[in-house]
Every structure is written in structure tokens, then in C-alpha cells.
Amino acid sequence: SDSDKAEKPSKAESESWEVTYQNSVIYKNSLNDIDCYAIVEVENTGNVDLYLKDASFDFEDESGKLLATYSTMISADPDIIAPGEKGYFYCNMATLKGDITEDTEYVFNPSLKLEKSKNSIVRYDISDLSISKGDFLSPFSIIGRIENNTDEDAGLVWIVCIL
């Protein structure tokens, strides 16, 4: 009978993650707009690959009142992270909308959306990396080699270095 068959215990899929680092800086740019740099590091603490889907960055006062927000072009790299891996949501030179200045005291409150990935992770082998000092327009230079270790033509490869 079916009840006599031994069943293998199945490991439940767990989609979980935690923020392991976050930082933001607000400043006035040369056009007098209020801009920010912001980064959030997340670690996949579950047992399935996670897709870094979307994020918004809110800047609030101590009581939780929304002062400014940014959600237009927040990047995520890598876009899929395996269990134990870390990924990043970030924005550079993003103009904030709201009632905030470079001197406003604020609390950085990111809202993140991660979900079980429907796609496989593709990682290429990287070697011979070095970093050197650059000039005013490009303060540093990073060079290295990347090898397509798959059977598929990559076409376009996106390389990100978060410092």
C-alpha cells in the first residue's frame, strides 16, 4: 500500500534575506538640486536563488514622516543571488523629490523587493584583476580578464565593480 512506502523528507523552499549594510549621502549638486548616493547590501539567507526585483529609497524624519524619496533608476547587481551570496541595490547622483536639504537630519529607509528567481544564475570566470590610479574624470582604472565558461554566446556582458 501507499502508506507502507517510505517518503523522502523534502526540504521546504525558503525565500529569506537580510540587509547586511546600508548607507546614503545627500548633497546639493552644481545645479542646486538635492541628490543622493545610496547603497543597500542584502544577503540571501534562504535556500533558493533570489531575484533582486525592485527597490525604493525613502528619507524620513525621526518620527517616520516621509521627507523625500527616490525609486526611478535603482540598480541591482547581481540581479540573482544564490543562497549565502550578497547583492546590492544602489543609485548614483539621484535627484530626490521632496522637502529635504543637504543639512536635513534624516533616516534612510529602503523598501526592497526580492523573490524566488525564475532564471538560472550565470557567472563568468574573472582573473588578472588590477586597479590603478586614474585622473580627474576617471579616478581609477580596473582591468582584468573575463572568460565565458558556458556553451552559449554571451553577446553583451555587464560588468559591475562596487567599491
Side-chain angles (χ1 to χ4, degrees), residues 47-115:
N47 61 12
V48 297
D49 294 346
L50 291 178
Y51 171 54
L52 281 63
K53 184 174 183 173
D54 196 16
S56 65
F57 295 159
D58 290 343
F59 301 83
E60 304 170 348
D61 69 13
E62 289 182 11
S63 70
K65 179 183 179 226
L66 184 64
L67 301 172
T69 190
Y70 184 78
S71 62
T72 308
M73 294 182 64
I74 296 175
S75 298
D77 284 302
D79 58 347
I80 303 172
I81 54 175
E85 285 187 332
K86 292 181 178 178
Y88 302 86
F89 289 100
Y90 60 94
C91 64
N92 298 314
M93 298 181 289
T95 300
L96 296 177
K97 304 292 184 205
D99 185 21
I100 199 165
T101 72
E102 71 275 18
D103 298 320
T104 303
E105 293 288 324
Y106 67 90
V107 174
F108 177 53
N109 187 14
S111 290
L112 312 176
K113 293 180 185 172
L114 288 81
E115 63 185 32

Side-chain angles (χ1 to χ4, degrees), residues 125-131 141-147 159:
D125 292 331
I126 297 174
S127 61
D128 295 336
L129 284 177
S130 67
I131 186 169
S141 176
I142 298 173
I143 64 169
R145 298 178 191 272
I146 185 166
E147 179 184 350
I159 299 171

Side-chain angles (χ1 to χ4, degrees), residues 33-46:
D33 292 327
I34 301 300
D35 284 2
C36 76
Y37 291 105
I39 188 166
V40 179
E41 178 185 78
V42 294
E43 181 176 354
N44 183 343
T45 57

